[in-house]
């Protein structure tokens, strides 16, 4: 129990009740047209700047600005910025990817970069372009040095660079949460590593990539050993599912793969993975004082934004409500909690 | 309409030769038109089938892409797709067909479309890109066939105009002119004969 978080948790609890529950999302989904759907958001935290949303891209920007405010709130409330900044750090890694691809010759728009970030993105872009990394924090400087090396030694393999950046990011998050002895956060990142590795395993199997390819793409440090994936790679999917029989992920992997085989689509599997992660962070609702409710709220917000994007982008593109409904993730709060 | 020529025996011979040539040309062009039409019709069937396949597959690929888009933020999607390690080269050669230079496209695709990280991208994106990747050769094939069809239709139109011009204008005109010259020459012949008979009669009387 961390009494420093008394005020922060109180504030987050007040904010939690304003999160969108599933009935609210469904009512937006059932709206006759996009204008009505957007009107449905006018009594929520998303009302600010809603009038400016005229097309799909505006809504993405709207969500990004909303998330910036959420990150800002968490930064204000936290007493352990080294932990909460881990979520913002993801944007820095994203900005490195964009800056590096720009250096490789890709054309870049301003909107590709993410905010907020731990390090000013201009500094990242400059460091990537000039090769002068030493003004950056040690983690990012070391990362850039490493990916420069990979870029030169791997025949400019951008995919490997992106995967390496993902691995460095998750490993760093895990390491920081272990050092801070924050079990909740540590477990969260362990789950993220495992789920990412399972997804990588399935994706590469579907793409018919070799075992060596998988070896370089798996992230170390998860609850499931890298060898577990490597040994199962040559076998069938059924044997892979069986190998997880006594692991927590057995049910979601089994159901997800069954659905994939039936429909040919991974979307249900991805939904199950997201739901699993959300169900884990829901434990934070029962913690009275500590950083956990802040993290829970942040993850819940990220999932809520994902749900809202699914609904609104789906409506902008004229998808049938039934199809959109299938893709919706669970909500952090249920209407019974209110 | 009669051609503007002098009604001489020389012209008559020339016109008769022209008529033979025009008839041969007409037959050749007619054969060319028939062959073009045969190619055109069989190509239409092929294109209809291919276009349907491409449209269905495009629709499916776009469906997968849209599902990926539903769950991925715009920034992550843009980042994932901003750089590709896939290199595409299109070589164009030409083959002759009925006096046409039909382009043939040869597509060389090297590298992998998979050039993004796995943490922030949707699994549906792989599926969409795989479908798009498989579609590219079919789309190039469709473009090649549609270009051929376009060139064939233009050539058919041109040939039909020529055939019609020969059939309905040039050949009847030459024919009419030949008849005119023949009649004119026969008339001259008759008047010459009459004159000779008249002269012979006058000589006999003296």
């Amino acid at each position: 129990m961390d009494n420093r978080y008394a005020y922060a948790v109180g504030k987050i609890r007040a904010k939690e009740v304003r999160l969108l529950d599933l009935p609210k999302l469904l009512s937006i989904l059932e709206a006759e047209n996009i204008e009505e759907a957007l009107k449905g958001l006018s009594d929520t935290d998303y009302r600010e700047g809603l009038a400016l949303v005229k097309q799909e891209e505006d809504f993405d920007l709207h969500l990004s600005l909303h998330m910036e405010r959420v990150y800002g709130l968490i930064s204000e409330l936290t007493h352990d910025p080294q932990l909460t900044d881990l979520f913002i750090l993801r944007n820095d890694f994203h900005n490195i990817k964009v800056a590096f691809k720009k250096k490789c010759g890709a054309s870049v728009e301003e909107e590709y970069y993410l905010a907020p970030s731990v390090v000013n993105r201009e500094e990242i872009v400059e460091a990537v372009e000039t090769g002068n990394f030493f003004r950056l924090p040690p983690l990012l400087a070391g990362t850039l040095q490493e990916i420069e090396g990979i870029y030169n030694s791997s025949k400019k393999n951008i995919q490997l660079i992106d995967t390496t950046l993902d691995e460095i990011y998750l490993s760093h998050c895990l390491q920081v949460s272990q050092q801070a002895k924050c079990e909740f956060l540590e477990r969260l990142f362990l789950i993220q590593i495992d789920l990412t590795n399972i997804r990588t395993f399935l994706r590469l199997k579907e793409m018919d990539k070799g075992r060596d390819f998988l070896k370089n793409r798996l992230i170390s440090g998860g609850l499931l050993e890298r060898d577990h994936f490597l040994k199962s790679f040559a076998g069938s999917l059924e044997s892979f599912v069986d190998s997880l029989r006594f692991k927590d992920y057995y049910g979601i992997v089994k159901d997800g793969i069954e659905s994939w085989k039936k429909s040919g689509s991974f979307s249900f599997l991805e939904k199950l993975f997201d739901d699993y992660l959300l169900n884990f962070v829901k434990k934070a609702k029962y913690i009275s004082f500590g950083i956990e409710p802040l993290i829970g709220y942040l993850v819940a917000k990220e999932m809520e934004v994902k749900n809202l994007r699914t609904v609104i982008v789906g409506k902008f593109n004229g998808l049938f409500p039934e199809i959109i409904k299938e893709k919706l993730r669970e909500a952090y709060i249920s209407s019974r909690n209110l | 309409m009669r051609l503007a020529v002098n009604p001489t025996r020389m012209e008559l011979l020339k016109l008769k030769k022209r008529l033979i040539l025009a008839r041969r040309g007409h037959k050749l062009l007619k054969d060319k038109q028939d062959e073009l039409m045969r190619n055109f019709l069989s190509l239409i069937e092929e294109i209809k089938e291919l276009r349907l396949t491409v449209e269905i597959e495009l629709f499916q690929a776009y469906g997968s892409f849209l599902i990926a888009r539903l769950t991925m933020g715009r920034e992550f999607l843009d980042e994932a797709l901003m750089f590709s390690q896939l290199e595409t080269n299109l070589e164009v050669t030409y083959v002759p067909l009925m006096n046409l230079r039909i382009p043939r496209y040869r597509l060389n695709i090297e590298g992998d479309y998979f050039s993004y990280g796995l943490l922030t991208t949707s699994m549906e994106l792989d599926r969409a890109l795989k479908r798009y990747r498989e579609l590219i050769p079919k789309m190039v094939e469709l473009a090649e066939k549609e270009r051929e069809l376009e060139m064939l239709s233009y050539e058919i139109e041109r040939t039909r105009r020529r055939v019609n011009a020969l059939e309905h204008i040039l050949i009847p005109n030459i024919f009419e002119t030949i008849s005119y010259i023949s009649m004119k020459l026969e008339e001259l012949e008759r008047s010459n004969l009459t004159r000779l008979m008249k002269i012979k009669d006058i000589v006999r009387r003296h």
Side-chain angles (χ1 to χ4, degrees):
Chain A
M1 193 178 285
D2 191 343
N3 290 332
R4 291 177 303 160
Y5 280 96
Y7 169 74
V9 174
K11 184 141 187 168
I12 286 298
R13 293 285 181 246
K15 286 269 177 196
E16 272 175 8
V17 294
R18 294 194 57 79
L19 285 170
L20 305 181
D21 57 2
L22 221 47
K24 178 69 185 172
L25 281 169
L26 292 178
S27 74
I28 296 168
L29 176 61
E30 298 295 338
E32 256 179 50
N33 50 40
I34 188 68
E35 288 78 20
E36 290 296 316
L38 290 173
K39 255 185 217 167
L41 288 171
S42 56
D43 57 345
T44 66
D45 285 350
Y46 294 90
R47 66 183 171 278
E48 200 175 318
L50 200 61
L52 299 172
V53 178
K54 301 282 178 240
Q55 52 189 355
E56 206 181 306
E57 289 74 19
D58 298 339
F59 194 70
D60 273 300
L61 184 66
H62 181 71
L63 291 179
S64 298
L65 293 173
H66 182 80
M67 277 314 287
E68 264 185 61
R69 288 195 288 275
V70 173
Y71 288 126
L73 172 75
I74 298 296
S75 299
E76 255 175 49
L77 296 176
T78 186
H79 291 282
D80 301 287
Q82 80 280 14
L83 294 181
T84 45
D85 277 358
L86 291 175
F87 292 89
I88 300 172
L89 193 66
R90 190 175 47 204
N91 293 351
D92 291 84
F93 275 81
H94 170 86
N95 292 344
I96 291 177
K97 286 181 189 174
V98 176
F100 207 81
K101 286 181 180 176
K102 185 185 175 194
K103 192 184 173 186
C104 295
S107 60
V108 174
E109 305 281 330
E110 279 301 296
E111 308 91 75
Y112 293 2
Y113 293 102
L114 278 174
S117 52
V118 176
V119 177
N120 196 330
R121 82 167 158 80
E122 278 85 14
E123 280 180 41
I124 289 182
V125 174
E126 195 194 321
V128 170
E129 274 173 8
T130 59
N132 185 8
F133 313 135
F134 304 102
R135 283 170 61 193
L136 296 175
L139 170 73
L140 297 186
T143 303
L144 284 174
Q145 243 173 337
E146 193 178 334
I147 60 166
E148 274 278 349
I150 293 171
Y151 182 72
N152 294 326
S153 65
S154 68
K155 294 180 192 163
K156 304 178 178 180
N157 189 337
I158 288 287
Q159 201 282 323
L160 189 59
I161 287 167
D162 272 15
T163 317
T164 309
L165 285 168
D166 292 342
E167 178 170 14
I168 295 173
Y169 167 69
L170 280 177
S171 303
H172 172 75
C173 292
L174 189 63
Q175 194 190 343
V176 171
S177 50
Q178 280 166 345
Q179 279 166 359
K181 294 190 171 55
C182 180
E183 279 178 30
F184 180 80
L185 203 55
E186 185 189 340
R187 182 84 190 172
L188 178 70
F189 287 122
L190 283 171
I191 293 172
Q192 274 199 8
I193 291 174
D194 284 344
L195 295 182
T196 306
N197 280 342
I198 296 172
R199 279 157 35 118
T200 303
F201 176 89
L202 296 173
R203 290 167 88 166
L204 298 189
K205 215 167 164 49
E206 169 73 356
M207 286 185 211
D208 278 334
K209 299 284 182 192
R211 190 173 175 273
D212 286 340
F213 196 93
L214 174 72
K215 200 174 171 182
N216 292 326
R217 268 74 184 175
L218 289 170
I219 299 171
S220 312
L223 294 166
L224 297 173
E225 293 290 321
R226 279 163 57 97
D227 274 352
H228 182 98
F229 293 102
L230 292 171
K231 276 178 195 160
S232 308
F233 199 60
S236 66
L237 281 175
E238 287 75 17
S239 61
F240 173 66
V241 174
D242 273 345
S243 71
L244 296 173
R245 189 169 285 275
F246 301 107
K247 308 282 182 193
D248 291 349
Y249 314 111
Y250 176 69
I252 54 169
V253 174
K254 186 172 172 283
D255 293 348
I257 287 177
E258 270 173 19
S259 160
W260 168 36
K261 282 191 166 173
K262 225 180 274 173
S263 65
S265 165
F266 283 118
S267 61
F268 185 64
L269 185 107
E270 294 204 308
K271 173 194 149 47
L272 290 177
F273 280 19
D274 282 346
D275 287 348
Y276 184 88
L277 200 70
L278 192 78
N279 280 321
F280 169 74
V281 296
K282 274 181 183 174
K283 288 175 187 160
K285 288 201 282 188
Y286 308 105
I287 296 171
S288 309
F289 302 111
I291 195 172
E292 293 84 353
L294 272 70
I295 294 164
Y297 179 74
L298 196 53
V299 176
K301 262 291 172 192
E302 283 174 352
M303 219 56 90
E304 181 180 276
V305 160
K306 201 180 246 190
N307 270 340
L308 212 46
R309 180 180 291 115
T310 304
V311 172
I312 301 296
V313 172
K315 284 206 93 65
F316 264 117
N317 286 281
L319 279 181
F320 290 119
E322 301 78 51
I323 296 175
I324 303 175
K325 200 174 161 183
E326 283 170 14
K327 319 283 175 219
L328 288 182
R329 274 65 175 154
E330 280 183 20
Y332 189 64
I333 53 160
S334 60
S335 39
R336 286 195 304 276
N337 293 135
L338 301 176
Chain B
M1 204 177 77
R2 214 170 57 211
L3 301 176
V5 289
N6 291 327
T8 61
R9 200 165 292 280
M10 193 68 144
E11 285 296 337
L12 182 69
L13 283 171
K14 264 194 208 169
L15 282 175
K16 278 184 175 170
K17 277 182 189 165
R18 262 183 88 185
L19 183 66
I20 294 168
L21 191 69
R23 279 182 171 153
R24 244 176 70 195
H26 175 258
K27 191 186 173 305
L28 278 172
L29 283 172
K30 190 92 179 147
D31 289 348
K32 180 182 175 181
Q33 188 189 333
D34 292 345
E35 186 58 18
L36 284 171
M37 273 309 281
R38 201 183 57 78
N39 281 333
F40 183 81
L41 291 173
S42 69
L43 199 59
I44 276 186
E45 286 306 310
E46 276 178 51
I47 287 175
K48 249 161 90 179
E49 262 178 48
L50 189 61
R51 179 160 270 281
L52 191 69
T53 316
V54 167
E55 279 180 5
I56 290 171
E57 287 180 21
L58 257 178
F59 181 75
Q60 287 170 340
Y62 181 70
S64 295
F65 189 77
L66 185 58
I67 290 170
R69 166 77 184 96
L70 288 182
T71 48
M72 279 178 76
R74 185 110 209 160
E75 301 87 353
F76 291 109
L77 190 63
D78 287 337
E79 184 275 317
L81 300 178
M82 66 189 280
F83 191 87
S84 173
Q85 289 179 317
L86 202 71
E87 272 190 29
T88 310
N89 283 309
L90 192 71
E91 276 176 39
V92 187
T93 53
Y94 293 92
V95 291
L97 176 78
M98 307 269 160
N99 206 25
L100 290 171
R101 287 178 76 223
I102 306 286
R104 290 278 178 255
Y105 304 136
R106 205 174 134 208
L107 187 70
N108 292 314
I109 302 178
E110 280 173 20
D112 201 345
Y113 63 85
F114 177 47
S115 46
Y116 44 83
L118 297 154
L119 178 66
T120 51
T121 52
S122 164
M123 293 164 97
E124 278 299 316
L125 186 66
D126 306 346
R127 207 164 154 233
L129 295 185
K130 190 183 173 193
R131 281 182 159 160
Y132 280 125
R133 163 70 185 80
E134 286 167 356
L135 251 172
I136 295 173
K138 284 183 192 168
M139 288 174 79
V140 170
E141 193 191 339
L142 181 66
E144 181 187 286
K145 287 192 188 303
E146 288 195 339
R147 177 72 188 128
E148 188 179 341
L149 190 80
E150 195 185 326
M151 290 176 85
L152 280 177
S153 67
Y154 176 72
E155 190 61 18
I156 287 171
E157 199 191 323
R158 218 163 62 130
T159 313
R160 185 176 288 158
R161 268 207 311 271
R162 284 177 173 179
V163 169
N164 285 345
L166 282 174
E167 195 176 323
H168 299 293
I169 298 170
L170 192 66
I171 293 175
N173 286 356
I174 294 175
F175 201 76
E176 196 186 329
T177 315
I178 286 173
S179 313
Y180 164 72
I181 296 175
S182 301
M183 280 197 301
K184 199 81 180 168
L185 288 175
E186 278 169 17
E187 207 180 311
L188 273 174
E189 190 81 13
R190 277 194 299 275
S191 78
N192 260 347
L193 191 68
T194 317
R195 197 166 41 246
L196 278 174
M197 283 169 76
K198 195 83 179 164
I199 292 168
K200 208 176 167 183
D201 198 36
I202 292 167
V203 170
R204 203 181 289 146
R205 262 191 270 155
H206 289 283

